[in-house]
């Protein structure tokens, strides 16, 4: 039941007008980065392939495809996949659906009407994509699928995705392998918590302190055998950190 309630709230965030501000804060920096790296007049843009792991309900991946990028979203949760499939393929009219994502919420409620407030969606037509632009959603585990796609992707966008890793280095290695030489990994959201893993957890985790990723320069050989870049963005549109990886 908790996953159903979470999916309904994420539908309100990703595909309703009331989620626009949050999407602008989290997705906006990533979209601005790929627009800058591959502007619309660039000859490379029609052939640029973008991957969005942890795509959730598919809005970020859809926004990339709407800008003319060949994009694939990857998601492992069946709840997210079922909901995203319904919105992307069966909800063409603006506001044609009404959901009640807050009906089970008992905190941050001023009046009963707040719990019973409907949220119309979608706020855009999901079928409105440029002609012949490849767009897909891939179901399955990121590590299992994309470790076998060396040099396949020009850009990988992660939005609060590395939070889900039990071992961040596995995600980094897989991203490294999947990017073409010179490819770019754009990230929003640091690793701010540590899921319970097998064996003894780190001492900082035992004491309850988060273990964030370094925010300074990072030297990682992204993009196959050639140098690549990491762009690490703050979710509220903070300054980007673009690092040329060590060869």
């Amino acid at each position: 039941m908790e996953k159903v309630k979470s999916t309904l709230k994420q539908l309100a965030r990703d595909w309703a007008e009331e989620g626009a501000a949050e999407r602008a804060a989290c997705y906006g920096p990533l979209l601005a980065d790929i627009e800058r790296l591959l502007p619309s007049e660039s000859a490379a843009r029609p052939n640029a392939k973008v991957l969005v792991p942890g795509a959730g309900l598919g809005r970020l991946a859809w926004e990339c495809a709407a800008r003319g990028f060949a994009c694939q979203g990857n998601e492992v949760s069946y709840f997210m996949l079922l909901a995203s499939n319904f919105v992307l393929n069966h909800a063409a009219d603006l506001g044609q659906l009404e959901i009640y994502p807050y009906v089970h919420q008992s905190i941050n409620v001023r009046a009963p009407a707040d719990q019973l407030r409907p949220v119309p969606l979608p706020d855009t037509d999901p079928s409105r994509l440029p002609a012949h632009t490849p767009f897909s959603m891939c179901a399955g585990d990121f590590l299992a699928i994309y470790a076998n796609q060396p040099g396949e992707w020009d850009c990988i966008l992660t939005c609060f995705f590395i939070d889900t890793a039990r071992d961040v280095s596995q995600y980094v290695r897989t991203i490294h392998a999947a990017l073409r030489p010179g490819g770019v990994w754009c990230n929003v959201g640091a690793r701010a918590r540590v899921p319970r893993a097998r064996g003894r957890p780190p001492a900082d985790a035992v004491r309850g302190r988060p273990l964030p990723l370094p925010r300074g320069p990072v030297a990682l050989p992204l993009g196959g055998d050639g140098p690549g870049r990491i762009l690490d963005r703050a979710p509220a549109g903070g300054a980007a950190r673009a690092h040329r990886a060590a060869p």
Side-chain angles (χ1 to χ4, degrees):
M1 189 62 182
E2 289 300 320
K3 290 186 177 180
V4 173
K5 292 189 285 186
S6 174
T7 301
L8 289 172
K9 290 180 179 178
Q10 291 189 58
L11 278 168
R13 182 194 67 187
D14 268 18
W15 291 103
E17 180 63 33
E18 70 175 53
E22 189 172 348
R23 292 196 302 271
C26 294
Y27 301 162
L30 297 173
L31 295 170
D33 284 336
I34 61 170
E35 288 277 13
R36 177 175 52 81
L37 293 165
L38 291 166
S40 56
E41 62 272 14
S42 170
R45 181 162 181 164
N47 299 317
K49 298 179 65 176
V50 179
L51 174 64
V52 182
L57 296 173
R59 183 61 184 257
L60 177 57
W62 181 89
E63 292 286 355
C64 292
R67 288 160 172 77
F69 296 98
C71 187
Q72 182 173 97
N74 165 243
E75 179 56 49
V76 70
S77 167
Y78 282 112
F79 290 88
M80 296 293 174
L81 289 164
L82 288 170
S84 63
N85 174 69
F86 183 78
V87 173
L88 290 168
N89 295 305
H90 302 286
D93 297 331
L94 304 187
Q96 76 174 72
L97 306 172
E98 283 191 347
I99 61 173
Y100 294 81
Y102 311 115
V103 70
H104 294 287
Q105 183 170 315
S106 58
I107 60 174
N108 299 322
V109 175
R110 292 185 177 182
D114 295 332
Q115 291 177 281
L116 301 176
R117 177 172 61 86
V119 175
L121 57 93
D123 65 332
T124 188
D125 180 359
S127 65
R128 181 185 53 81
L129 292 175
H132 311 298
T133 299
F135 173 50
S136 61
M137 291 286 288
C138 177
D141 179 73
F142 170 70
L143 296 175
I145 295 172
Y146 295 98
N148 300 316
Q149 296 188 15
E152 185 72 19
W153 302 93
D154 297 281
C155 183
I156 295 180
L157 306 182
T158 52
C159 184
F160 291 96
F161 172 65
I162 55 176
D163 286 31
T164 64
R166 291 187 178 276
D167 182 352
V168 177
S169 66
Q170 289 185 311
Y171 277 16
V172 174
R173 291 189 190 99
T174 301
I175 291 171
H176 168 205
L179 281 170
R180 65 164 177 78
V184 179
W185 172 21
C186 303
N187 175 67
V188 160
R191 180 169 171 77
R193 61 183 176 85
V194 180
R196 182 175 297 174
R198 296 177 182 176
R200 183 178 178 180
D204 279 345
V206 173
R207 291 192 289 268
R209 295 205 300 268
L211 298 176
L213 286 177
R215 299 293 298 202
V218 179
L220 291 173
L222 295 182
D225 295 328
R229 282 184 291 173
I230 306 171
L231 272 66
D232 192 14
R233 298 295 301 260
R241 292 174 171 84
H243 309 301
R244 177 66 61 178

